[in-house]
Amino acid sequence: HLDLDRVFALMREVSDAMRKDASLGWAILGDIDIAGVEKLEDASVTLRCRLKVRTPRQWRVRREFLRLMKLALDTDVAA
């Protein structure tokens, strides 16, 4: 069971934490833009969001966002 509102809240929490982080926060130019559900499949849901960042940090920010989202989702499901 997937609670999309909870996942969107986690996305906001992760992006807010990243903006406060000294090593990456300077590279993030604004709040997260969550577009919503991009695609539905039998066993997955693809969500779309955007963080505006300074180049050339976009790939580092993306990798860190995905890493932190995985940790947040694992922690949230375990709770």
Side-chain angles (χ1 to χ4, degrees):
H1 178 259
L2 181 64
D3 179 354
L4 287 176
D5 291 330
R6 180 65 189 138
V7 174
F8 294 152
L10 286 172
M11 292 168 81
R12 287 185 193 92
E13 290 171 21
V14 166
S15 67
D16 289 347
M18 288 177 65
R19 290 185 69 196
K20 294 174 185 168
D21 182 273
S23 67
L24 281 179
W26 65 271
I28 300 171
L29 300 175
D31 293 335
I32 191 169
D33 175 23
I34 299 173
V37 176
E38 177 75 15
K39 182 172 31 171
L40 291 172
E41 295 187 17
D42 291 339
S44 66
V45 176
T46 302
L47 305 176
R48 179 169 299 266
C49 70
R50 178 176 51 196
L51 284 169
K52 292 183 182 178
V53 299
R54 297 179 196 277
T55 56
R57 294 290 185 208
Q58 67 268 22
W59 303 117
R60 182 172 178 216
V61 170
R62 180 181 191 274
R63 283 190 302 270
E64 185 64 5
F65 179 77
L66 293 175
R67 185 184 77 80
L68 292 173
M69 275 304 301
K70 171 70 167 112
L71 292 173
L73 289 167
D74 288 349
T75 301
D76 197 66
V77 169

